[in-house]
């Protein structure tokens, strides 16, 4: 399929459940393996400063469990930069991180982070990783990302999801249009456009249908749904919905 959109499966919340009891179950490597077998196109995780889900030894365990490209989400800190340089994931995605937040709350202020990010981006690229910035679907942020040398921008879909689930049809349509417009602009700027955050079976199709988007990163819903149907089935269903949206 030429127009296929990739699915990056974020497995953070397998580690959240594991850490609730402090043991080794459910095993993060098994999650990476099942996601690979179920048709994921990439494995994503977020190594947070407080290690609330993914922990340092998980990185090599995930690497050993899958042949898929790995997308490491991280804050732009010196500590994470050293870890990313050493781990050499296929992609490093910079996200804003606040200690008290439940999940990544908004996109990066790429323009404001310029001085900190530029040297990190250059070193990571020289080290063989592609670099992605998680931003709001906002042309100002997109242009800042391009100036900083980002290979990829992931557009935050959280607001679109919230508005859709709240039944705010017109506002959701406007937000979707912002994502679609930024995806087009990204292509013109030579940046690969991706999207993600908060996506569910109910909300994935309008986003997947945006033809310029190359990849969606989805985690919490897939792991939550796996409680009822299993991880393989939840990923396969998401894959089907994404394929339908592109058909
Ligand atoms: N993209 C980014 C940058 C994220 O931080 C997350 C959550 O870790 C996701 C995508 C996936 O979001 P969700 O877990 O809500 O599907």
């Amino acid at each position: 399929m030429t127009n296929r959109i990739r699915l990056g499966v974020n497995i953070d919340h397998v580690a959240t459940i594991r850490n609730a009891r402090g043991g080794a179950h459910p095993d993060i490597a098994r999650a990476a393996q099942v996601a690979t077998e179920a048709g994921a196109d990439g494995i994503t995780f977020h190594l947070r400063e407080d290690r609330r889900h993914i922990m340092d030894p998980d990185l090599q365990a995930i690497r050993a469990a899958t042949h898929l490209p790995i997308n490491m989400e991280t804050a732009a800190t010196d500590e994470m930069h050293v870890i990313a340089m050493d781990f050499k994931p296929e992609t490093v995605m910079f996200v804003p991180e606040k200690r008290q937040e439940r999940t990544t709350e908004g996109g990066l202020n790429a323009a404001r982070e310029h001085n900190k990010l530029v040297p990190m981006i250059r070193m990571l690229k020289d080290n063989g990783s592609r670099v992605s910035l998680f931003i709001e679907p906002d042309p100002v942020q997109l242009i800042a990302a391009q100036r900083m040398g980002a290979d990829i921008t992931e557009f935050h879909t959280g607001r679109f999801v919230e508005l859709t689930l709240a039944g705010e049809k017109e506002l959701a349509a406007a937000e979707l249009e912002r994502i679609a417009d930024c995806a087009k602009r990204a292509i013109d700027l030579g940046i690969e456009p991706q999207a993600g955050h908060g996506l569910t079976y109910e909300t994935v199709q309008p986003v997947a249908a945006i033809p310029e988007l190359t990849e969606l990163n989805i985690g919490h819903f897939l792991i939550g749904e796996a409680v009822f149907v299993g991880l393989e089935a939840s990923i396969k269903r998401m894959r089907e919905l994404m394929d339908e949206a592109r058909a």
Side-chain angles (χ1 to χ4, degrees):
M1 208 184 306
T2 48
N3 196 24
R4 190 172 181 279
I5 182 166
R6 294 194 301 271
L7 170 60
V9 174
N10 180 316
I11 56 175
D12 289 349
H13 296 302
V14 174
T16 304
I17 299 171
R18 176 196 64 188
N19 296 354
R21 287 293 169 93
H25 186 81
D27 178 20
I28 199 77
R30 187 168 161 203
Q33 201 181 336
V34 170
T36 304
E37 286 162 7
D41 299 288
I43 302 294
T44 294
F45 62 78
H46 183 175
L47 183 67
R48 295 186 77 103
E49 184 196 12
D50 62 8
R51 310 302 200 269
R52 70 172 75 153
H53 35 60
I54 297 294
M55 301 167 88
D56 298 57
D58 295 333
L59 275 58
Q60 290 305 338
I62 293 168
R63 175 64 90 199
T66 182
H67 62 274
L68 293 176
I70 292 177
N71 176 19
M72 173 177 166
E73 285 181 28
T74 175
T77 63
D78 292 340
E79 182 200 15
M80 290 300 157
H81 181 64
V82 170
I83 293 173
M85 289 293 288
D86 182 49
F87 183 56
K88 297 184 197 288
E90 280 71 12
T91 305
V92 176
M93 188 197 305
F94 285 113
V95 299
E97 194 175 303
K98 293 186 216 135
R99 188 164 283 205
Q100 299 306 330
E101 69 189 354
R102 286 208 197 137
T103 180
T104 318
E105 280 171 357
L108 270 180
N109 189 334
R112 204 178 51 199
E113 305 283 327
H114 182 277
N115 290 352
K116 190 165 57 172
L117 281 172
V118 166
M120 287 187 181
I121 292 173
R122 195 174 307 128
M123 285 169 74
L124 287 162
K125 287 173 70 163
D126 288 348
N127 198 42
S129 295
R130 299 178 79 211
V131 176
S132 175
L133 301 185
F134 182 59
I135 58 173
E136 297 297 325
D138 172 353
V140 173
Q141 296 297 335
L142 181 58
I143 289 166
Q146 189 220 20
R147 293 209 176 118
M148 288 191 281
D151 300 291
I152 302 165
T153 50
E154 180 175 302
F155 298 116
H156 195 323
T157 51
R159 191 172 142 74
F160 166 72
V161 170
E162 274 171 26
L163 291 167
T164 303
L165 297 179
E168 297 279 2
K169 284 190 181 155
E170 278 174 29
L171 291 174
E175 185 65 12
L176 187 68
E177 188 45 43
R178 289 208 310 150
I179 298 168
D181 175 58
C182 278
K184 281 198 196 82
R185 288 173 189 255
I187 297 282
D188 293 342
L189 292 169
I191 294 185
E192 182 177 332
Q194 303 184 352
H197 209 284
L199 293 167
T200 63
Y201 292 159
E202 207 180 325
T203 53
V204 74
Q205 288 197 312
V207 180
I210 296 171
E212 290 82 6
L213 292 176
T214 60
E215 179 168 319
L216 302 181
N217 276 300
I218 309 181
H220 182 266
F221 181 83
L222 289 174
I223 306 304
E225 192 61 13
V227 170
F228 304 109
V229 302
L231 186 56
E232 183 182 348
S234 72
I235 292 171
K236 284 191 165 160
R237 179 70 190 135
M238 191 62 84
R239 178 75 264 162
E240 276 169 13
L241 291 168
M242 289 164 62
D243 288 342
E244 256 176 41
R246 281 287 169 108

